[in-house]
Amino acid sequence: MNPIPQSNASTATVFFDSVARVILTQHSHEIPDLRRARVLLPNYHVSQPLAQSLARVANLPVILLPQMVTLNDWVQSVPLALSVIPDTCRITTLYQALRARRWFADADLWSITRELLILLDELTQNHVTLPQSAEDFLLQLEQAYQSKRGIAMQFEARVVYELWYAMNNSGELDTARAYQQSLAQLAQQAELPLYVLLTSDLAAAEVRFLEAYHKRASVMIIDLRELTSRQPECAAMRIIASSRPRFPDHIPTENERGVHDNLKEVVGNSRSQERVEEMDALSLREQANHLQKHFPHAALGHRLRFFGAHGLEQEARAAEVQIRRWLLAGKKNIAIVAQDRIVARRMRALLERAGVLVCDETGWKLSTLSVSTVLMRWLDALQSDFYYQDLLDLLKSPFIFADQAVCERKQTVYQLEQLVRRHGVVAHLDTFFDLTQGNVEMRMALIRLRQAAEVLHKKNDTLSGWLCALYSSLEILGIVQGLKMDDAGIQLLQALQNWQRELHVDTTRVSLTEWRHWLAQQLDEHTFLDITIDSPVLLTHLAATRWRSFDAVLMLGCDAAHLPGTDNSGRWFNDAVRITLGLPTREVYLAQQRDELLALLAMNDTVLVTWQASKSGEANLLSPCFEMLRALHELAYGDDLTIKPGEWDKLLESTQVRSAEFPLPPAAAMPAPVARQGLIPKRISASGYNSLVACPYQFYARHILHLNEMDEVREDVEKRDYGEWVHDILRRFHEQYQVLGNHLRADLDSALLRISVEIFAPAVQRDYLARAWLLRWQQAIPSYLDEQLKNEAEGWRYQSGEVPFELPLTADLLMHGRLDRVDVQAKGGSAVRVLDYKMMDAARLRNKLKEAGEDVQLACYAYVYEAEEAAFISIEKDKVIAVAPPQDVADLAQANIARLLEVFEQMRSGAALPAHGTAEACQYCEMRGLCRKSEWNER
C-alpha cells in the first residue's frame, strides 16, 4: 500500500523552461552571453533550476548566466549618505514619547510601542501622508468609520497623528525610508533589462520601484499565477486563488453563509448529488462541468492527497511515517510546510527518534531557547529575592558556572536542593547562606550569586546600562563562558552586545521591570537558525516556498484555524479606514497566502496535506481553501483526494520506532516485578514496612528502586506541619514536666500555652494562616492534660520522647525509626508502653488497628522496646483519645516481625512484588503512574 502516489513528471521544470524561453527570446542576439540581463528572484533556491532550464532550452554546451539577485540583497548593495537609525533606538524614542504623554498608564507600554512602530512603518512603506491638522485627520476617520466621533475615535486619531509627526520630524533615516531611498537609487541607475519572478502581488514600494525602473530600462514580470492558468494540471487548483474563506472579524452575507454551510455538508458528510447542486453561489457545479469537459485528464489524485487525523499524536505519527517512506523511496529534497508548530515539534521529535534530522529554515525564537531561559531565570531569581524554585531552575541550567567541572557543579546543586527541600527554605539568599554552613562549594556558589546580584542592584538605568550590567553579572556567574560554547548562545551574546552598542547614546531611563519587558520583547523578535544540520528533510514556511520545487511536500496542520494564518503584526484601524488611508487590508494578506499556496501546489508533484479532523472528540474543519478544492475535485472526477484513516492504522502500528532496550509492552496487566539481590534493602522503617504490607509494588518502587518523590518546600502551612509542631511542643513540655501531678493545673495550662506560642511563632510570622492551626491545637490542650493526668493516675510515667532507634533483626536486616514517646510504670518500673501521636480521628485509627497486621507501626515499636502496651494518641480538635490494638500487643509484635522476616526471605528467593494495593492505599500513592492500575483494571 502506498498512501501517496508517486509522479515522474515535473511541473516545475515546465514553468522554469517557460521563464528560460522568455529570457532567451528577449536576448536571442546575445546568446550565449546573458550577463546583460538581471533576474529578480524570490529566493536563491530558484537560481539553480532556472540556470538548468536556461542551459537546457538554449541547447548549448556553455552559457553565461544572467545576474540573479534577490531584492533585499540588491538593496543592501546601495550606499546611503546618512546612517540608518536602528529599530531599537526608534522603539525607545517612541516609548519615551508614550510614557511622557501618559496615554496608556496601566498597559504593557513596550507592546503598544511595537504595534505603533509597525503602523508608522506601514504608513511610510505605503507612501501615506496624513492631513496637515489633527482635525482633518479626525474627519477622515469619521468618514471611513461611517460614525460620529467619540472618545475612542478621538483618542485613536490623536495617538497616531501626534506620534506620526513626532517621529517624522526627527530628521533621522529609519529602516523603511532607507529601503525606499535605496530602491529609488536603484531605479535611477537602471541599465539592464529586469525580469521579475512573482507568485503574488508586490507591495506598494516595490511597485513604485518597478515603475521608476521601467522608465530607464525594460521590466518584464513573470507571474506564476499566469503560468499556472496555461497548465491543464493546475485547472482544479485555481479555485484556491478564487476562494474567499470567512474569518472571525468578517460578517458574511447570506449567500456566503449558505455556501459555507453547504460546503461543510458536502465535504464532511455524504457529498450527495442533491447537496452539491445547492452550491450555486460559487458555481462549483459549473466549474466541475467545465473541468470534465475541457480537462478530463487533469485529476490531481496522482500528486495531491489529504489525511484527516484523529488528534495531534496521529497527525504527527502519520507525517513521520510518510517522510520516512519518502526517504526510503530515494527522495532527496523533502519539504515540511508547518502551519501548526505544535504538531511540527512532535513530528520532529518522532523523526529524531528514528534517526532522521530536520533542517529548520523557520528557526526558533530566541525567547524559546534554553540560552535565553538562563537569562530570564537569573532575572526571575533576582526579582523574587531568590525564591527557591527560581533559584533551583537557574542552578540546574547547563550554562551557569560553566568555568567549573560539570560533575562538581551538578553535585553542588544536588546537595543544595536536598538542603532546601529538607529544611523548607522558601526564599532569601541570606537564609540559604545560613543553611550551607560548613559546605565550601555551596557557599562559593551563593557568594557568586550575591556578587552578580549587586551588579544589577539599582533602581533605574538606561537600556544600555542595564545590558552592560547584565553582561557583567553573567560573567560573574560563568554564564558567558557557557553561552560561548553553544551556537545559539553565541548569537545571543552578539545580540546583547549589538543592542548595547546601538542604544549607547539613548538616555531613556527605565526600571528593572520595564527593562525586563523590553528584553523579553527583543528576545521574542529575534530568531535563531541552526545551520549545522544538513538533511534532505527541510522544515519551512509557506512564504519561503515561492517558486521552489521539492521531491515531496508535506503540509502539516492545515485546518481552518491555521490556514489561512493571521497577520502577526499589530493592527490599528479596521479595514475600511485602512482602505481610506491607502494601507493594505487583511484581504490583501489572505490573498497573498492563497497565491503562495497555489504556487506551492503547482510547482510540486507529490504533496500530502494533513490536519486534525477531530480535536478532543470535536470535529475540526479542514482549511476552507482545501475544502473547496476537495469538493470541486469530487464533483469533477469522483475523488475527494482523502486517504481514509483505516488505511493508515496498520501502517502506523507496524512502522512505530522503538529502541531495542524498550520493546513494545505487553497488554496492560498487574505488574509483579522481582527485586534484584543487590537492590534488596538492608534497612527498613515502620513506614517502609507499612508500605510493603499495603502494596508490595509500592514498596518495590519506593524502597528498592528509590523512586520516592523529592521533599516539597511547603510554602503554605499544611496538616503535616501542624503535626510536627505538636510533636515538638509535647516533647519540650514533657521534658520540663515529667510528672504533671506534681504541679498545679493552672501552671501546666500556662506552660503548655507558652511553649505552643513559642513553637508556632516562626510560622505565624511567616504565614498568618498558621495562627488558625495554633488555635486548633490550643483547643485540644485541656483534653490532652486530662488524658495525661489520667495516665499518671493509672501509674504510667513519661520516660522519653522523639527517640531514635536501630535494631538488628538479622545479619541482613536492620529496623530503624523514631518513636514519639515511651512511658514506663511507676510501680516496679518494668512495664513499658509506646505511644504515637496522630492528628486524626479516633474512629479512623480504630479501623486501622481492627485487623491484626494491617497497620504495623505500633507492633514494630512494641517489638523494639519489648513493650506490654502500645497506643495511638488521637488529637483531633478538642478530643484527645488513646486508641490501643484489640489484640495482645506482645503476641502482635512477635507475629509482625516474624512475617517481616519471612517476606524478606521470600523476596531474596525471587518472590514477585505485585501491585495488589487496596483502593485506600492507591488513593494518594505517588507510584500510580508506574503501576498504571487504571489501565489494567479496565482490561
Side-chain angles (χ1 to χ4, degrees):
M1 179 183 67
N2 191 355
I4 306 298
Q6 307 301 312
S7 173
N8 295 323
S10 175
T11 312
T13 301
V14 176
F15 293 139
F16 281 116
D17 286 353
S18 299
V19 176
R21 279 191 289 270
V22 169
I23 297 174
L24 291 169
T25 300
Q26 295 297 318
H27 297 268
S28 57
H29 59 287
E30 299 176 0
I31 296 175
D33 188 354
L34 301 178
R35 289 178 296 176
R36 287 196 53 76
R38 180 176 283 116
V39 182
L40 208 54
L41 305 175
N43 53 72
Y44 285 114
H45 299 283
V46 178
S47 60
Q48 182 178 354
L50 179 55
Q52 291 170 347
S53 286
L54 285 168
R56 182 172 50 253
V57 174
N59 195 23
L60 291 173
V62 177
I63 188 169
L64 298 179
L65 297 173
Q67 300 178 26
M68 300 185 190
V69 67
T70 63
L71 188 56
N72 283 336
D73 280 0
W74 198 11
V75 165
Q76 294 298 323
S77 67
V78 177
L80 293 172
L82 298 176
S83 59
V84 179
I85 180 173
D87 282 347
T88 50
C89 295
R90 295 178 63 213
I91 287 175
T92 54
T93 301
L94 192 55
Y95 179 85
Q96 199 170 18
L98 287 175
R99 190 171 62 175
R101 288 167 172 79
R102 299 182 180 276
W103 284 335
F104 306 94
D106 300 323
D108 181 0
L109 210 54
W110 286 117
S111 296
I112 295 173
T113 302
R114 173 70 62 179
E115 291 182 8
L116 277 168
L117 191 66
I118 292 172
L119 173 65
L120 298 181
D121 282 345
E122 274 192 302
L123 293 170
T124 301
Q125 291 160 3
N126 291 276
H127 302 276
V128 175
T129 302
L130 297 186
Q132 291 298 315
S133 69
E135 181 64 25
D136 291 341
F137 184 46
L138 187 55
L139 287 172
Q140 190 176 12
L141 292 184
E142 280 186 47
Q143 294 172 1
Y145 279 121
Q146 295 182 352
S147 64
K148 294 183 179 179
R149 68 181 64 182
I151 295 176
M153 186 189 298
Q154 293 180 40
F155 177 72
E156 187 178 36
R158 183 183 178 191
V159 169
V160 175
Y161 186 84
E162 284 193 25
L163 295 177
W164 162 256
Y165 276 100
M167 296 295 286
N168 276 273
N169 292 333
S170 64
E172 297 173 321
L173 188 63
D174 58 45
T175 307
R177 287 186 173 80
Y179 182 69
Q180 290 178 348
Q181 285 190 17
S182 298
L183 288 177
Q185 289 189 41
L186 289 175
Q188 290 175 0
Q189 300 166 4
E191 294 179 355
L192 304 181
L194 185 63
Y195 299 89
V196 185
L197 303 188
L198 291 184
T199 56
S200 58
D201 292 338
L202 290 168
E206 284 80 27
V207 171
R208 286 200 175 197
F209 160 67
L210 293 180
E211 290 172 349
Y213 193 100
H214 186 56
K215 294 177 181 178
R216 297 176 176 270
S218 65
V219 175
M220 182 168 290
I221 294 177
I222 304 173
D223 197 328
L224 188 58
R225 292 171 294 185
E226 295 182 7
L227 296 180
T228 58
S229 66
R230 305 169 195 166
Q231 293 296 323
E233 296 86 351
C234 303
M237 298 179 191
R238 287 196 292 274
I239 194 172
I240 291 176
S242 62
S243 65
R244 292 294 182 269
R246 296 197 304 173
F247 6 100
D249 58 351
H250 168 62
I251 301 176
T253 63
E254 290 298 321
N255 282 341
E256 287 173 321
R257 278 196 291 268
V259 169
H260 183 75
D261 294 339
N262 291 341
L263 200 57
K264 279 169 52 179
E265 292 189 28
V266 169
V267 175
N269 300 326
S270 65
R271 295 176 172 81
S272 63
Q273 182 74 14
E274 293 77 13
R275 297 305 295 163
V276 170
E277 290 176 352
E278 293 178 11
M279 297 191 299
D280 50 358
L282 289 178
S283 304
L284 281 185
R285 168 57 64 187
E286 288 80 357
Q287 294 185 51
N289 290 336
H290 180 76
L291 289 176
Q292 289 173 337
K293 181 178 180 181
H294 298 284
F295 304 100
H297 305 296
L300 301 174
H302 66 286
R303 58 187 297 172
L304 174 64
R305 283 291 177 186
F306 296 88
F307 175 68
H310 296 301
L312 184 150
E313 184 66 17
Q314 190 184 43
E315 182 180 11
R317 287 188 58 204
E320 176 248 346
V321 167
Q322 185 57 66
I323 289 169
R324 288 196 286 127
R325 287 170 59 83
W326 279 334
L327 290 171
L328 290 173
K331 296 190 180 296
K332 304 295 185 183
N333 188 16
I334 300 171
I336 304 167
V337 183
Q339 303 299 122
D340 188 338
R341 293 288 288 185
I342 296 177
V343 180
R345 190 177 299 120
R346 176 57 181 155
M347 176 210 62
R348 184 172 184 169
L350 292 173
L351 284 171
E352 290 183 354
R353 186 176 68 178
V356 179
L357 295 180
V358 178
C359 180
D360 191 349
E361 273 190 353
T362 60
W364 299 90
K365 291 183 178 181
L366 279 178
S367 58
T368 65
L369 302 180
S370 58
V371 293
S372 295
T373 302
V374 67
L375 262 65
M376 304 316 286
R377 288 294 172 271
W378 163 229
L379 297 176
D380 286 338
L382 193 66
Q383 288 193 281
S384 65
D385 197 10
F386 293 94
Y387 175 62
Y388 82 98
Q389 286 187 349
D390 294 333
L391 176 61
L392 292 177
D393 285 347
L394 171 66
L395 294 178
K396 289 177 183 179
S397 169
F399 300 105
I400 194 170
F401 304 142
D403 49 359
Q404 296 180 3
V406 175
C407 57
E408 294 178 4
R409 183 175 73 238
K410 288 183 176 180
Q411 181 67 18
T412 300
V413 175
Y414 173 77
Q415 291 175 347
L416 181 60
E417 181 170 16
Q418 295 300 312
L419 277 176
V420 168
R421 294 185 181 279
R422 188 181 310 126
H423 293 276
V425 178
V426 177
H428 311 306
L429 204 56
D430 290 339
T431 310
F432 295 119
F433 267 107
D434 295 339
L435 201 64
T436 58
Q437 296 288 346
N439 190 305
V440 177
E441 290 78 11
M442 283 191 284
R443 291 186 68 82
M444 283 303 301
L446 295 175
I447 288 171
R448 293 179 71 172
L449 286 169
R450 174 177 286 172
Q451 292 172 344
E454 289 172 354
V455 174
L456 287 164
H457 185 68
K458 45 189 174 181
K459 290 185 177 180
N460 57 68
D461 201 346
T462 62
L463 294 177
S464 178
W466 281 118
L467 288 169
C468 182
L470 174 65
Y471 196 89
S472 298
S473 69
L474 298 180
E475 285 185 314
I476 294 172
L477 296 175
I479 294 176
V480 169
Q481 184 172 335
L483 294 178
K484 286 181 178 179
M485 295 184 287
D486 183 273
D487 291 335
I490 293 171
Q491 182 173 320
L492 174 60
L493 292 175
Q494 290 173 345
L496 293 174
Q497 291 170 345
N498 289 339
W499 298 335
Q500 182 184 346
R501 184 176 61 255
E502 291 171 356
L503 294 165
H504 182 68
V505 297
D506 184 80
T507 58
T508 306
R509 300 185 72 83
V510 296
S511 66
L512 175 61
T513 301
E514 289 177 293
W515 170 69
R516 273 207 62 182
H517 287 166
W518 172 87
L519 180 62
Q521 187 181 80
Q522 290 294 111
L523 294 175
D524 202 50
E525 290 292 327
H526 286 72
T527 303
F528 167 71
L529 292 175
D530 188 352
I531 60 175
T532 62
I533 296 177
D534 184 16
S535 172
V537 182
L538 176 72
L539 182 63
T540 187
H541 54 97
L542 190 57
T545 64
R546 296 167 185 169
W547 278 92
R548 292 173 70 178
S549 63
F550 304 91
D551 292 344
V553 175
L554 172 68
M555 293 201 66
L556 200 65
C558 296
D559 59 10
H562 292 92
L563 184 69
T566 56
D567 189 354
N568 292 326
S569 62
R571 292 183 59 82
W572 285 65
F573 308 131
N574 65 15
D575 278 353
V577 178
R578 296 176 74 84
I579 291 172
T580 302
L581 295 176
L583 295 174
T585 63
R586 184 175 182 189
E587 178 54 35
V588 172
Y589 173 75
L590 295 176
Q592 179 179 320
Q593 278 196 327
R594 292 192 294 270
D595 291 338
E596 290 167 349
L597 180 59
L598 173 61
L600 176 64
L601 296 180
M603 292 285 295
N604 293 278
D605 299 323
T606 302
V607 180
L608 171 64
V609 176
T610 69
W611 88 102
Q612 296 174 53
S614 61
K615 280 186 175 182
S616 304
E618 298 290 333
N620 186 42
L621 289 177
L622 177 64
S623 165
C625 303
F626 285 131
E627 193 175 81
M628 292 190 67
L629 175 59
R630 284 202 309 164
L632 176 64
H633 199 273
E634 183 177 19
L635 290 173
Y637 304 109
D639 179 10
D640 70 352
L641 303 172
T642 303
I643 300 170
K644 302 303 183 286
E647 299 178 38
W648 283 82
D649 292 341
K650 288 186 178 180
L651 182 64
L652 294 181
E653 184 62 30
S654 63
T655 56
Q656 186 172 4
V657 176
R658 283 187 178 269
S659 170
E661 298 179 11
F662 301 98
L664 284 168
M670 178 192 291
V674 174
R676 293 184 180 181
Q677 291 296 324
L679 297 179
I680 296 175
K682 299 183 181 299
R683 293 164 54 88
I684 191 169
S685 64
S687 62
Y689 187 9
N690 255 334
S691 175
L692 180 60
V693 171
C695 176
Y697 184 84
Q698 183 189 85
F699 178 83
Y700 172 78
R702 284 181 180 174
H703 302 282
I704 295 179
L705 298 183
H706 300 291
L707 299 177
N708 314 52
E709 290 182 328
M710 296 185 71
D711 294 330
E712 290 293 332
V713 176
R714 300 192 292 274
E715 301 177 51
D716 300 319
V717 177
E718 300 176 3
K719 191 169 185 179
R720 57 175 171 169
D721 298 306
Y722 169 63
E724 290 174 2
W725 294 330
V726 171
H727 278 65
D728 198 15
I729 289 167
L730 294 177
R731 178 188 60 78
R732 287 177 55 179
F733 175 72
H734 284 295
E735 285 176 353
Q736 294 180 30
Y737 301 89
Q738 294 194 358
V739 181
L740 304 192
N742 297 338
H743 304 273
L744 296 175
R745 177 63 183 262
D747 292 340
L748 297 173
D749 284 326
S750 176
L752 193 49
L753 284 171
R754 173 179 53 78
I755 294 172
S756 300
V757 170
E758 290 175 0
I759 296 295
F760 271 87
V764 171
Q765 186 177 7
R766 186 176 68 251
D767 186 348
Y768 185 79
L769 294 178
R771 188 177 297 275
W773 291 102
L774 173 60
L775 294 174
R776 180 172 180 169
W777 160 242
Q778 289 174 339
Q779 187 181 8
I781 287 177
S783 296
Y784 180 80
L785 292 175
D786 291 342
E787 180 67 21
Q788 181 59 23
L789 289 169
K790 177 183 173 184
N791 290 339
E792 290 186 2
E794 294 173 355
W796 293 107
R797 295 291 183 268
Y798 174 86
Q799 185 184 62
S800 57
E802 300 299 320
V803 186
F805 65 85
E806 287 188 350
L807 178 66
L809 301 178
T810 67
D812 296 325
L813 186 63
L814 178 143
M815 177 169 283
H816 68 98
R818 182 181 294 273
L819 182 57
D820 290 350
R821 177 171 153 187
V822 179
D823 283 2
V824 295
Q825 270 286 351
K827 298 177 180 179
S830 59
V832 177
R833 181 173 69 168
V834 292
L835 300 175
D836 193 80
Y837 304 124
K838 294 293 183 184
M839 310 298 126
M840 65 175 64
D841 184 73
R844 186 176 170 190
L845 292 172
R846 290 191 189 98
N847 189 55
K848 279 176 171 286
L849 299 174
K850 183 165 55 176
E851 294 291 335
E854 284 298 309
D855 189 285
V856 304
Q857 191 172 13
L858 288 178
C860 288
Y861 294 159
Y863 182 85
V864 171
Y865 284 91
E866 300 180 355
E868 287 81 1
E869 294 189 29
F872 288 130
I873 303 297
S874 167
I875 303 175
E876 180 68 3
K877 297 182 179 178
D878 61 344
K879 295 180 181 179
V880 178
I881 302 172
V883 180
Q887 304 86 10
D888 180 81
V889 171
D891 293 342
L892 182 65
Q894 290 293 335
N896 185 61
I897 296 302
R899 179 180 61 175
L900 175 63
L901 297 176
E902 181 183 356
V903 169
F904 263 75
E905 186 60 35
Q906 292 173 349
M907 201 186 305
R908 295 187 188 100
S909 300
L913 296 168
H916 61 201
T918 62
E920 184 178 2
C922 296
Q923 186 175 5
Y924 300 108
C925 179
E926 73 277 16
M927 302 304 167
R928 285 175 297 175
L930 290 179
C931 77
R932 300 186 178 183
K933 184 174 183 177
S934 59
E935 294 184 15
W936 46 265
N937 266 354
E938 291 174 3
R939 289 179 178 263

